[in-house]
Amino acid sequence: GNGYQNFTVASQGIPGWTVTAGDVDLVGPGFWQAYQGNQTLDLNGYDPGTITQSFATTKGATYVLSFVYGNNPGTALATGDVSVLDSTFVTQGISHAGSQPTAMNYVLFSGSFVANGSTATLQFMGTNLGDAGLALDAVAVNAVPEPATLTLLGFGGVTLLGYVGLRRRTA
């Protein structure tokens, strides 16, 4: 709905996510525009918060993490860290300034990582003080096709094109 809802470490209200430190706000319509859908997450509730989500991976497989971020218009500059635990991903600091309620100026983040095991944990952590932080939206993790699969698709395409070319010459 409209407004926002605060979630603390003890809260269970954000499906799939766990608040592991501080608190965060789930922000609905009426405060600022979402990038996708109707809600965004402010990494700072009353204080900086940390959220995590664990997901299945295949050891050695490559994945791409993508999300958009802006800043709560109530702060001049918002900062945070993003990490993918149990992988080759190095913690990345992010910051944003200049968001307005009707023009959030979201920035797309995209980074790849290799899984070290059968699960990985995505973590977002607010690092600036106060009750206004980074606004997150459209978080996704997607597997990258294995090179062997791409090679087979490439050879299939070449074979198909070669066959079409051959058919035209004989006709």
Side-chain angles (χ1 to χ4, degrees), residues 33-75:
Q33 75 178 123
Y35 179 82
Q36 181 179 45
N38 293 319
Q39 301 174 334
T40 60
L41 184 91
D42 185 345
L43 273 178
N44 287 45
Y46 298 108
D47 296 299
T50 301
I51 61 168
T52 63
Q53 184 177 101
S54 295
F55 52 94
T57 57
T58 301
K59 184 177 181 175
T62 302
Y63 297 84
V64 174
L65 163 65
S66 63
F67 60 92
V68 297
Y69 63 97
N71 63 287
N72 178 325
T75 188

PDB file of all heavy atoms in Angstrom, residues 33-75:
ATOM      1  N   GLN A  33       9.077   7.286  -6.748  1.00  0.00           N
ATOM      2  CA  GLN A  33       8.744   6.338  -7.802  1.00  0.00           C
ATOM      3  C   GLN A  33       9.600   5.080  -7.702  1.00  0.00           C
ATOM      4  O   GLN A  33      10.799   5.145  -7.438  1.00  0.00           O
ATOM      5  CB  GLN A  33       8.909   6.974  -9.185  1.00  0.00           C
ATOM      6  CG  GLN A  33      10.351   7.126  -9.596  1.00  0.00           C
ATOM      7  CD  GLN A  33      10.574   7.708 -10.968  1.00  0.00           C
ATOM      8  OE1 GLN A  33      11.241   8.695 -11.064  1.00  0.00           O
ATOM      9  NE2 GLN A  33      10.048   7.112 -12.006  1.00  0.00           N
ATOM     10  N   ALA A  34       8.962   3.945  -7.886  1.00  0.00           N
ATOM     11  CA  ALA A  34       9.682   2.674  -7.977  1.00  0.00           C
ATOM     12  C   ALA A  34      10.215   2.535  -9.402  1.00  0.00           C
ATOM     13  O   ALA A  34       9.663   3.098 -10.350  1.00  0.00           O
ATOM     14  CB  ALA A  34       8.749   1.510  -7.648  1.00  0.00           C
ATOM     15  N   TYR A  35      11.274   1.789  -9.542  1.00  0.00           N
ATOM     16  CA  TYR A  35      11.808   1.493 -10.874  1.00  0.00           C
ATOM     17  C   TYR A  35      10.929   0.464 -11.566  1.00  0.00           C
ATOM     18  O   TYR A  35      10.649   0.554 -12.748  1.00  0.00           O
ATOM     19  CB  TYR A  35      13.238   0.977 -10.741  1.00  0.00           C
ATOM     20  CG  TYR A  35      13.887   0.620 -12.055  1.00  0.00           C
ATOM     21  CD1 TYR A  35      14.459   1.598 -12.850  1.00  0.00           C
ATOM     22  CD2 TYR A  35      13.936  -0.703 -12.490  1.00  0.00           C
ATOM     23  CE1 TYR A  35      15.058   1.281 -14.062  1.00  0.00           C
ATOM     24  CE2 TYR A  35      14.534  -1.034 -13.698  1.00  0.00           C
ATOM     25  CZ  TYR A  35      15.089  -0.044 -14.479  1.00  0.00           C
ATOM     26  OH  TYR A  35      15.682  -0.362 -15.674  1.00  0.00           O
ATOM     27  N   GLN A  36      10.516  -0.540 -10.788  1.00  0.00           N
ATOM     28  CA  GLN A  36       9.718  -1.654 -11.300  1.00  0.00           C
ATOM     29  C   GLN A  36       8.669  -1.980 -10.253  1.00  0.00           C
ATOM     30  O   GLN A  36       8.991  -2.074  -9.067  1.00  0.00           O
ATOM     31  CB  GLN A  36      10.644  -2.838 -11.533  1.00  0.00           C
ATOM     32  CG  GLN A  36      10.029  -4.076 -12.086  1.00  0.00           C
ATOM     33  CD  GLN A  36      11.083  -5.158 -12.289  1.00  0.00           C
ATOM     34  OE1 GLN A  36      11.922  -5.382 -11.425  1.00  0.00           O
ATOM     35  NE2 GLN A  36      11.055  -5.818 -13.419  1.00  0.00           N
ATOM     36  N   GLY A  37       7.444  -2.163 -10.639  1.00  0.00           N
ATOM     37  CA  GLY A  37       6.396  -2.491  -9.679  1.00  0.00           C
ATOM     38  C   GLY A  37       6.010  -1.289  -8.832  1.00  0.00           C
ATOM     39  O   GLY A  37       6.082  -0.143  -9.277  1.00  0.00           O
ATOM     40  N   ASN A  38       5.625  -1.556  -7.563  1.00  0.00           N
ATOM     41  CA  ASN A  38       5.119  -0.495  -6.691  1.00  0.00           C
ATOM     42  C   ASN A  38       5.974  -0.231  -5.464  1.00  0.00           C
ATOM     43  O   ASN A  38       5.670   0.681  -4.704  1.00  0.00           O
ATOM     44  CB  ASN A  38       3.698  -0.854  -6.209  1.00  0.00           C
ATOM     45  CG  ASN A  38       2.700  -0.837  -7.343  1.00  0.00           C
ATOM     46  OD1 ASN A  38       2.728   0.039  -8.194  1.00  0.00           O
ATOM     47  ND2 ASN A  38       1.820  -1.819  -7.364  1.00  0.00           N
ATOM     48  N   GLN A  39       6.998  -1.047  -5.220  1.00  0.00           N
ATOM     49  CA  GLN A  39       7.763  -0.921  -3.990  1.00  0.00           C
ATOM     50  C   GLN A  39       9.254  -0.856  -4.257  1.00  0.00           C
ATOM     51  O   GLN A  39       9.739  -1.392  -5.249  1.00  0.00           O
ATOM     52  CB  GLN A  39       7.508  -2.129  -3.072  1.00  0.00           C
ATOM     53  CG  GLN A  39       6.080  -2.306  -2.681  1.00  0.00           C
ATOM     54  CD  GLN A  39       5.879  -3.582  -1.894  1.00  0.00           C
ATOM     55  OE1 GLN A  39       6.642  -4.534  -2.025  1.00  0.00           O
ATOM     56  NE2 GLN A  39       4.847  -3.617  -1.072  1.00  0.00           N
ATOM     57  N   THR A  40       9.956  -0.192  -3.337  1.00  0.00           N
ATOM     58  CA  THR A  40      11.412  -0.206  -3.302  1.00  0.00           C
ATOM     59  C   THR A  40      11.820  -0.496  -1.864  1.00  0.00           C
ATOM     60  O   THR A  40      10.990  -0.488  -0.952  1.00  0.00           O
ATOM     61  CB  THR A  40      12.026   1.145  -3.734  1.00  0.00           C
ATOM     62  OG1 THR A  40      11.562   2.167  -2.852  1.00  0.00           O
ATOM     63  CG2 THR A  40      11.666   1.481  -5.161  1.00  0.00           C
ATOM     64  N   LEU A  41      13.095  -0.735  -1.659  1.00  0.00           N
ATOM     65  CA  LEU A  41      13.593  -0.973  -0.313  1.00  0.00           C
ATOM     66  C   LEU A  41      14.593   0.117   0.037  1.00  0.00           C
ATOM     67  O   LEU A  41      15.542   0.348  -0.714  1.00  0.00           O
ATOM     68  CB  LEU A  41      14.290  -2.337  -0.217  1.00  0.00           C
ATOM     69  CG  LEU A  41      14.727  -2.646   1.205  1.00  0.00           C
ATOM     70  CD1 LEU A  41      13.628  -3.394   1.932  1.00  0.00           C
ATOM     71  CD2 LEU A  41      16.005  -3.414   1.225  1.00  0.00           C
ATOM     72  N   ASP A  42      14.364   0.791   1.148  1.00  0.00           N
ATOM     73  CA  ASP A  42      15.310   1.775   1.670  1.00  0.00           C
ATOM     74  C   ASP A  42      16.193   1.027   2.662  1.00  0.00           C
ATOM     75  O   ASP A  42      15.705   0.484   3.657  1.00  0.00           O
ATOM     76  CB  ASP A  42      14.560   2.914   2.360  1.00  0.00           C
ATOM     77  CG  ASP A  42      15.460   4.036   2.837  1.00  0.00           C
ATOM     78  OD1 ASP A  42      16.701   3.851   2.905  1.00  0.00           O
ATOM     79  OD2 ASP A  42      14.925   5.107   3.170  1.00  0.00           O
ATOM     80  N   LEU A  43      17.500   0.974   2.394  1.00  0.00           N
ATOM     81  CA  LEU A  43      18.426   0.233   3.260  1.00  0.00           C
ATOM     82  C   LEU A  43      18.571   0.834   4.649  1.00  0.00           C
ATOM     83  O   LEU A  43      19.123   0.191   5.536  1.00  0.00           O
ATOM     84  CB  LEU A  43      19.809   0.136   2.609  1.00  0.00           C
ATOM     85  CG  LEU A  43      20.023  -1.027   1.674  1.00  0.00           C
ATOM     86  CD1 LEU A  43      21.418  -0.982   1.072  1.00  0.00           C
ATOM     87  CD2 LEU A  43      19.784  -2.356   2.357  1.00  0.00           C
ATOM     88  N   ASN A  44      18.097   2.035   4.844  1.00  0.00           N
ATOM     89  CA  ASN A  44      18.114   2.644   6.179  1.00  0.00           C
ATOM     90  C   ASN A  44      16.681   2.832   6.633  1.00  0.00           C
ATOM     91  O   ASN A  44      15.940   3.611   6.037  1.00  0.00           O
ATOM     92  CB  ASN A  44      18.810   4.005   6.162  1.00  0.00           C
ATOM     93  CG  ASN A  44      20.300   3.906   6.021  1.00  0.00           C
ATOM     94  OD1 ASN A  44      20.791   3.137   5.195  1.00  0.00           O
ATOM     95  ND2 ASN A  44      21.021   4.682   6.798  1.00  0.00           N
ATOM     96  N   GLY A  45      16.304   2.097   7.680  1.00  0.00           N
ATOM     97  CA  GLY A  45      15.028   2.353   8.324  1.00  0.00           C
ATOM     98  C   GLY A  45      15.232   3.557   9.238  1.00  0.00           C
ATOM     99  O   GLY A  45      15.368   4.680   8.780  1.00  0.00           O
ATOM    100  N   TYR A  46      15.320   3.301  10.533  1.00  0.00           N
ATOM    101  CA  TYR A  46      15.692   4.358  11.471  1.00  0.00           C
ATOM    102  C   TYR A  46      17.211   4.419  11.602  1.00  0.00           C
ATOM    103  O   TYR A  46      17.763   5.409  12.044  1.00  0.00           O
ATOM    104  CB  TYR A  46      15.035   4.115  12.832  1.00  0.00           C
ATOM    105  CG  TYR A  46      13.524   4.143  12.735  1.00  0.00           C
ATOM    106  CD1 TYR A  46      12.776   2.973  12.841  1.00  0.00           C
ATOM    107  CD2 TYR A  46      12.852   5.338  12.502  1.00  0.00           C
ATOM    108  CE1 TYR A  46      11.403   2.998  12.725  1.00  0.00           C
ATOM    109  CE2 TYR A  46      11.480   5.366  12.380  1.00  0.00           C
ATOM    110  CZ  TYR A  46      10.749   4.192  12.499  1.00  0.00           C
ATOM    111  OH  TYR A  46       9.387   4.221  12.366  1.00  0.00           O
ATOM    112  N   ASP A  47      17.850   3.342  11.247  1.00  0.00           N
ATOM    113  CA  ASP A  47      19.308   3.200  11.274  1.00  0.00           C
ATOM    114  C   ASP A  47      19.726   2.396  10.050  1.00  0.00           C
ATOM    115  O   ASP A  47      18.883   1.774   9.400  1.00  0.00           O
ATOM    116  CB  ASP A  47      19.747   2.437  12.542  1.00  0.00           C
ATOM    117  CG  ASP A  47      19.414   3.197  13.812  1.00  0.00           C
ATOM    118  OD1 ASP A  47      19.926   4.314  13.972  1.00  0.00           O
ATOM    119  OD2 ASP A  47      18.640   2.666  14.637  1.00  0.00           O
ATOM    120  N   PRO A  48      21.022   2.340   9.728  1.00  0.00           N
ATOM    121  CA  PRO A  48      21.463   1.501   8.607  1.00  0.00           C
ATOM    122  C   PRO A  48      21.073   0.037   8.822  1.00  0.00           C
ATOM    123  O   PRO A  48      21.185  -0.486   9.930  1.00  0.00           O
ATOM    124  CB  PRO A  48      22.978   1.657   8.610  1.00  0.00           C
ATOM    125  CG  PRO A  48      23.239   2.920   9.354  1.00  0.00           C
ATOM    126  CD  PRO A  48      22.133   3.040  10.357  1.00  0.00           C
ATOM    127  N   GLY A  49      20.602  -0.598   7.762  1.00  0.00           N
ATOM    128  CA  GLY A  49      20.191  -1.991   7.846  1.00  0.00           C
ATOM    129  C   GLY A  49      20.990  -2.881   6.918  1.00  0.00           C
ATOM    130  O   GLY A  49      21.684  -2.411   6.010  1.00  0.00           O
ATOM    131  N   THR A  50      20.884  -4.176   7.165  1.00  0.00           N
ATOM    132  CA  THR A  50      21.492  -5.192   6.307  1.00  0.00           C
ATOM    133  C   THR A  50      20.434  -6.240   6.005  1.00  0.00           C
ATOM    134  O   THR A  50      19.752  -6.717   6.917  1.00  0.00           O
ATOM    135  CB  THR A  50      22.701  -5.851   6.999  1.00  0.00           C
ATOM    136  OG1 THR A  50      23.662  -4.848   7.319  1.00  0.00           O
ATOM    137  CG2 THR A  50      23.340  -6.904   6.107  1.00  0.00           C
ATOM    138  N   ILE A  51      20.285  -6.593   4.722  1.00  0.00           N
ATOM    139  CA  ILE A  51      19.359  -7.657   4.328  1.00  0.00           C
ATOM    140  C   ILE A  51      20.132  -8.715   3.549  1.00  0.00           C
ATOM    141  O   ILE A  51      21.114  -8.419   2.878  1.00  0.00           O
ATOM    142  CB  ILE A  51      18.178  -7.131   3.482  1.00  0.00           C
ATOM    143  CG1 ILE A  51      18.673  -6.482   2.183  1.00  0.00           C
ATOM    144  CG2 ILE A  51      17.313  -6.185   4.283  1.00  0.00           C
ATOM    145  CD1 ILE A  51      17.575  -6.213   1.176  1.00  0.00           C
ATOM    146  N   THR A  52      19.677  -9.961   3.664  1.00  0.00           N
ATOM    147  CA  THR A  52      20.313 -11.065   2.949  1.00  0.00           C
ATOM    148  C   THR A  52      19.259 -11.977   2.343  1.00  0.00           C
ATOM    149  O   THR A  52      18.125 -12.038   2.805  1.00  0.00           O
ATOM    150  CB  THR A  52      21.224 -11.912   3.865  1.00  0.00           C
ATOM    151  OG1 THR A  52      20.416 -12.517   4.885  1.00  0.00           O
ATOM    152  CG2 THR A  52      22.317 -11.078   4.503  1.00  0.00           C
ATOM    153  N   GLN A  53      19.685 -12.698   1.314  1.00  0.00           N
ATOM    154  CA  GLN A  53      18.873 -13.759   0.720  1.00  0.00           C
ATOM    155  C   GLN A  53      19.814 -14.833   0.216  1.00  0.00           C
ATOM    156  O   GLN A  53      20.746 -14.541  -0.538  1.00  0.00           O
ATOM    157  CB  GLN A  53      18.021 -13.231  -0.432  1.00  0.00           C
ATOM    158  CG  GLN A  53      17.101 -14.306  -1.003  1.00  0.00           C
ATOM    159  CD  GLN A  53      16.208 -13.768  -2.094  1.00  0.00           C
ATOM    160  OE1 GLN A  53      16.490 -13.975  -3.263  1.00  0.00           O
ATOM    161  NE2 GLN A  53      15.130 -13.098  -1.719  1.00  0.00           N
ATOM    162  N   SER A  54      19.580 -16.068   0.623  1.00  0.00           N
ATOM    163  CA  SER A  54      20.378 -17.196   0.144  1.00  0.00           C
ATOM    164  C   SER A  54      19.644 -17.877  -0.997  1.00  0.00           C
ATOM    165  O   SER A  54      18.410 -17.910  -1.027  1.00  0.00           O
ATOM    166  CB  SER A  54      20.631 -18.195   1.276  1.00  0.00           C
ATOM    167  OG  SER A  54      21.427 -17.581   2.268  1.00  0.00           O
ATOM    168  N   PHE A  55      20.410 -18.430  -1.943  1.00  0.00           N
ATOM    169  CA  PHE A  55      19.814 -19.067  -3.110  1.00  0.00           C
ATOM    170  C   PHE A  55      20.730 -20.182  -3.597  1.00  0.00           C
ATOM    171  O   PHE A  55      21.930 -20.187  -3.328  1.00  0.00           O
ATOM    172  CB  PHE A  55      19.549 -18.045  -4.230  1.00  0.00           C
ATOM    173  CG  PHE A  55      20.742 -17.209  -4.589  1.00  0.00           C
ATOM    174  CD1 PHE A  55      21.577 -17.574  -5.631  1.00  0.00           C
ATOM    175  CD2 PHE A  55      21.038 -16.062  -3.871  1.00  0.00           C
ATOM    176  CE1 PHE A  55      22.683 -16.808  -5.957  1.00  0.00           C
ATOM    177  CE2 PHE A  55      22.141 -15.278  -4.192  1.00  0.00           C
ATOM    178  CZ  PHE A  55      22.963 -15.658  -5.237  1.00  0.00           C
ATOM    179  N   ALA A  56      20.128 -21.128  -4.301  1.00  0.00           N
ATOM    180  CA  ALA A  56      20.879 -22.278  -4.810  1.00  0.00           C
ATOM    181  C   ALA A  56      21.774 -21.862  -5.977  1.00  0.00           C
ATOM    182  O   ALA A  56      21.384 -21.038  -6.809  1.00  0.00           O
ATOM    183  CB  ALA A  56      19.916 -23.375  -5.272  1.00  0.00           C
ATOM    184  N   THR A  57      22.976 -22.437  -6.010  1.00  0.00           N
ATOM    185  CA  THR A  57      23.918 -22.209  -7.104  1.00  0.00           C
ATOM    186  C   THR A  57      24.566 -23.535  -7.474  1.00  0.00           C
ATOM    187  O   THR A  57      24.433 -24.521  -6.757  1.00  0.00           O
ATOM    188  CB  THR A  57      25.025 -21.205  -6.705  1.00  0.00           C
ATOM    189  OG1 THR A  57      25.696 -21.694  -5.541  1.00  0.00           O
ATOM    190  CG2 THR A  57      24.466 -19.828  -6.430  1.00  0.00           C
ATOM    191  N   THR A  58      25.275 -23.532  -8.566  1.00  0.00           N
ATOM    192  CA  THR A  58      26.077 -24.676  -8.977  1.00  0.00           C
ATOM    193  C   THR A  58      27.533 -24.277  -8.853  1.00  0.00           C
ATOM    194  O   THR A  58      27.949 -23.255  -9.436  1.00  0.00           O
ATOM    195  CB  THR A  58      25.760 -25.070 -10.433  1.00  0.00           C
ATOM    196  OG1 THR A  58      24.368 -25.395 -10.524  1.00  0.00           O
ATOM    197  CG2 THR A  58      26.600 -26.248 -10.885  1.00  0.00           C
ATOM    198  N   LYS A  59      28.298 -25.051  -8.095  1.00  0.00           N
ATOM    199  CA  LYS A  59      29.701 -24.729  -7.885  1.00  0.00           C
ATOM    200  C   LYS A  59      30.420 -24.584  -9.227  1.00  0.00           C
ATOM    201  O   LYS A  59      30.291 -25.417 -10.111  1.00  0.00           O
ATOM    202  CB  LYS A  59      30.379 -25.825  -7.062  1.00  0.00           C
ATOM    203  CG  LYS A  59      31.820 -25.505  -6.730  1.00  0.00           C
ATOM    204  CD  LYS A  59      32.445 -26.580  -5.863  1.00  0.00           C
ATOM    205  CE  LYS A  59      33.882 -26.196  -5.540  1.00  0.00           C
ATOM    206  NZ  LYS A  59      34.497 -27.134  -4.611  1.00  0.00           N
ATOM    207  N   GLY A  60      31.143 -23.472  -9.378  1.00  0.00           N
ATOM    208  CA  GLY A  60      31.894 -23.211 -10.597  1.00  0.00           C
ATOM    209  C   GLY A  60      31.107 -22.502 -11.685  1.00  0.00           C
ATOM    210  O   GLY A  60      31.681 -22.063 -12.674  1.00  0.00           O
ATOM    211  N   ALA A  61      29.792 -22.384 -11.512  1.00  0.00           N
ATOM    212  CA  ALA A  61      28.960 -21.714 -12.522  1.00  0.00           C
ATOM    213  C   ALA A  61      29.058 -20.195 -12.353  1.00  0.00           C
ATOM    214  O   ALA A  61      29.251 -19.695 -11.249  1.00  0.00           O
ATOM    215  CB  ALA A  61      27.513 -22.164 -12.411  1.00  0.00           C
ATOM    216  N   THR A  62      28.887 -19.484 -13.450  1.00  0.00           N
ATOM    217  CA  THR A  62      28.926 -18.025 -13.439  1.00  0.00           C
ATOM    218  C   THR A  62      27.507 -17.473 -13.414  1.00  0.00           C
ATOM    219  O   THR A  62      26.627 -17.975 -14.111  1.00  0.00           O
ATOM    220  CB  THR A  62      29.673 -17.496 -14.682  1.00  0.00           C
ATOM    221  OG1 THR A  62      30.999 -18.037 -14.684  1.00  0.00           O
ATOM    222  CG2 THR A  62      29.746 -15.972 -14.680  1.00  0.00           C
ATOM    223  N   TYR A  63      27.320 -16.429 -12.617  1.00  0.00           N
ATOM    224  CA  TYR A  63      26.026 -15.769 -12.460  1.00  0.00           C
ATOM    225  C   TYR A  63      26.207 -14.269 -12.630  1.00  0.00           C
ATOM    226  O   TYR A  63      27.293 -13.741 -12.411  1.00  0.00           O
ATOM    227  CB  TYR A  63      25.437 -16.050 -11.070  1.00  0.00           C
ATOM    228  CG  TYR A  63      25.141 -17.502 -10.838  1.00  0.00           C
ATOM    229  CD1 TYR A  63      26.144 -18.371 -10.413  1.00  0.00           C
ATOM    230  CD2 TYR A  63      23.880 -18.025 -11.068  1.00  0.00           C
ATOM    231  CE1 TYR A  63      25.892 -19.718 -10.215  1.00  0.00           C
ATOM    232  CE2 TYR A  63      23.616 -19.371 -10.875  1.00  0.00           C
ATOM    233  CZ  TYR A  63      24.632 -20.212 -10.450  1.00  0.00           C
ATOM    234  OH  TYR A  63      24.371 -21.544 -10.262  1.00  0.00           O
ATOM    235  N   VAL A  64      25.118 -13.596 -12.998  1.00  0.00           N
ATOM    236  CA  VAL A  64      25.126 -12.147 -13.095  1.00  0.00           C
ATOM    237  C   VAL A  64      24.113 -11.590 -12.093  1.00  0.00           C
ATOM    238  O   VAL A  64      22.943 -11.980 -12.105  1.00  0.00           O
ATOM    239  CB  VAL A  64      24.776 -11.668 -14.523  1.00  0.00           C
ATOM    240  CG1 VAL A  64      24.636 -10.147 -14.567  1.00  0.00           C
ATOM    241  CG2 VAL A  64      25.835 -12.130 -15.514  1.00  0.00           C
ATOM    242  N   LEU A  65      24.592 -10.698 -11.234  1.00  0.00           N
ATOM    243  CA  LEU A  65      23.751  -9.971 -10.292  1.00  0.00           C
ATOM    244  C   LEU A  65      23.429  -8.624 -10.911  1.00  0.00           C
ATOM    245  O   LEU A  65      24.331  -7.930 -11.391  1.00  0.00           O
ATOM    246  CB  LEU A  65      24.497  -9.762  -8.967  1.00  0.00           C
ATOM    247  CG  LEU A  65      23.932  -8.699  -8.024  1.00  0.00           C
ATOM    248  CD1 LEU A  65      22.546  -9.099  -7.519  1.00  0.00           C
ATOM    249  CD2 LEU A  65      24.890  -8.457  -6.868  1.00  0.00           C
ATOM    250  N   SER A  66      22.154  -8.264 -10.919  1.00  0.00           N
ATOM    251  CA  SER A  66      21.770  -6.940 -11.402  1.00  0.00           C
ATOM    252  C   SER A  66      20.712  -6.363 -10.470  1.00  0.00           C
ATOM    253  O   SER A  66      19.924  -7.089  -9.869  1.00  0.00           O
ATOM    254  CB  SER A  66      21.258  -6.992 -12.838  1.00  0.00           C
ATOM    255  OG  SER A  66      20.083  -7.763 -12.920  1.00  0.00           O
ATOM    256  N   PHE A  67      20.727  -5.054 -10.339  1.00  0.00           N
ATOM    257  CA  PHE A  67      19.729  -4.325  -9.569  1.00  0.00           C
ATOM    258  C   PHE A  67      19.866  -2.852  -9.922  1.00  0.00           C
ATOM    259  O   PHE A  67      20.842  -2.440 -10.549  1.00  0.00           O
ATOM    260  CB  PHE A  67      19.880  -4.541  -8.053  1.00  0.00           C
ATOM    261  CG  PHE A  67      21.199  -4.105  -7.488  1.00  0.00           C
ATOM    262  CD1 PHE A  67      21.384  -2.829  -6.970  1.00  0.00           C
ATOM    263  CD2 PHE A  67      22.283  -4.980  -7.461  1.00  0.00           C
ATOM    264  CE1 PHE A  67      22.600  -2.435  -6.450  1.00  0.00           C
ATOM    265  CE2 PHE A  67      23.504  -4.596  -6.933  1.00  0.00           C
ATOM    266  CZ  PHE A  67      23.665  -3.308  -6.428  1.00  0.00           C
ATOM    267  N   VAL A  68      18.877  -2.069  -9.529  1.00  0.00           N
ATOM    268  CA  VAL A  68      18.979  -0.626  -9.682  1.00  0.00           C
ATOM    269  C   VAL A  68      18.989  -0.007  -8.294  1.00  0.00           C
ATOM    270  O   VAL A  68      18.460  -0.576  -7.338  1.00  0.00           O
ATOM    271  CB  VAL A  68      17.848  -0.019 -10.540  1.00  0.00           C
ATOM    272  CG1 VAL A  68      17.904  -0.550 -11.967  1.00  0.00           C
ATOM    273  CG2 VAL A  68      16.496  -0.238  -9.915  1.00  0.00           C
ATOM    274  N   TYR A  69      19.622   1.160  -8.209  1.00  0.00           N
ATOM    275  CA  TYR A  69      19.651   1.863  -6.931  1.00  0.00           C
ATOM    276  C   TYR A  69      19.605   3.372  -7.138  1.00  0.00           C
ATOM    277  O   TYR A  69      20.027   3.900  -8.163  1.00  0.00           O
ATOM    278  CB  TYR A  69      20.870   1.468  -6.104  1.00  0.00           C
ATOM    279  CG  TYR A  69      22.213   1.815  -6.713  1.00  0.00           C
ATOM    280  CD1 TYR A  69      22.887   2.968  -6.335  1.00  0.00           C
ATOM    281  CD2 TYR A  69      22.807   0.983  -7.662  1.00  0.00           C
ATOM    282  CE1 TYR A  69      24.115   3.287  -6.891  1.00  0.00           C
ATOM    283  CE2 TYR A  69      24.033   1.294  -8.216  1.00  0.00           C
ATOM    284  CZ  TYR A  69      24.684   2.455  -7.826  1.00  0.00           C
ATOM    285  OH  TYR A  69      25.890   2.767  -8.379  1.00  0.00           O
ATOM    286  N   GLY A  70      19.012   4.025  -6.183  1.00  0.00           N
ATOM    287  CA  GLY A  70      18.954   5.479  -6.108  1.00  0.00           C
ATOM    288  C   GLY A  70      19.195   5.841  -4.655  1.00  0.00           C
ATOM    289  O   GLY A  70      19.652   5.003  -3.867  1.00  0.00           O
ATOM    290  N   ASN A  71      18.858   7.045  -4.278  1.00  0.00           N
ATOM    291  CA  ASN A  71      18.946   7.399  -2.867  1.00  0.00           C
ATOM    292  C   ASN A  71      17.593   7.894  -2.381  1.00  0.00           C
ATOM    293  O   ASN A  71      16.828   8.481  -3.149  1.00  0.00           O
ATOM    294  CB  ASN A  71      20.039   8.449  -2.602  1.00  0.00           C
ATOM    295  CG  ASN A  71      19.786   9.770  -3.277  1.00  0.00           C
ATOM    296  OD1 ASN A  71      19.922   9.871  -4.491  1.00  0.00           O
ATOM    297  ND2 ASN A  71      19.417  10.786  -2.514  1.00  0.00           N
ATOM    298  N   ASN A  72      17.304   7.624  -1.133  1.00  0.00           N
ATOM    299  CA  ASN A  72      16.115   8.186  -0.513  1.00  0.00           C
ATOM    300  C   ASN A  72      16.225   9.692  -0.688  1.00  0.00           C
ATOM    301  O   ASN A  72      17.236  10.285  -0.312  1.00  0.00           O
ATOM    302  CB  ASN A  72      16.088   7.789   0.962  1.00  0.00           C
ATOM    303  CG  ASN A  72      14.919   8.364   1.723  1.00  0.00           C
ATOM    304  OD1 ASN A  72      14.484   9.478   1.463  1.00  0.00           O
ATOM    305  ND2 ASN A  72      14.438   7.616   2.700  1.00  0.00           N
ATOM    306  N   PRO A  73      15.208  10.346  -1.286  1.00  0.00           N
ATOM    307  CA  PRO A  73      15.306  11.793  -1.500  1.00  0.00           C
ATOM    308  C   PRO A  73      15.501  12.598  -0.217  1.00  0.00           C
ATOM    309  O   PRO A  73      15.861  13.773  -0.277  1.00  0.00           O
ATOM    310  CB  PRO A  73      13.978  12.142  -2.174  1.00  0.00           C
ATOM    311  CG  PRO A  73      13.570  10.878  -2.854  1.00  0.00           C
ATOM    312  CD  PRO A  73      14.016   9.787  -1.911  1.00  0.00           C
ATOM    313  N   GLY A  74      15.326  11.973   0.937  1.00  0.00           N
ATOM    314  CA  GLY A  74      15.525  12.653   2.212  1.00  0.00           C
ATOM    315  C   GLY A  74      16.981  12.793   2.611  1.00  0.00           C
ATOM    316  O   GLY A  74      17.280  13.365   3.662  1.00  0.00           O
ATOM    317  N   THR A  75      17.913  12.275   1.821  1.00  0.00           N
ATOM    318  CA  THR A  75      19.337  12.412   2.116  1.00  0.00           C
ATOM    319  C   THR A  75      20.073  12.890   0.872  1.00  0.00           C
ATOM    320  O   THR A  75      19.679  12.579  -0.246  1.00  0.00           O
ATOM    321  CB  THR A  75      19.945  11.075   2.614  1.00  0.00           C
ATOM    322  OG1 THR A  75      21.270  11.304   3.055  1.00  0.00           O
ATOM    323  CG2 THR A  75      19.948  10.008   1.551  1.00  0.00           C
TER     324      THR A  75
END
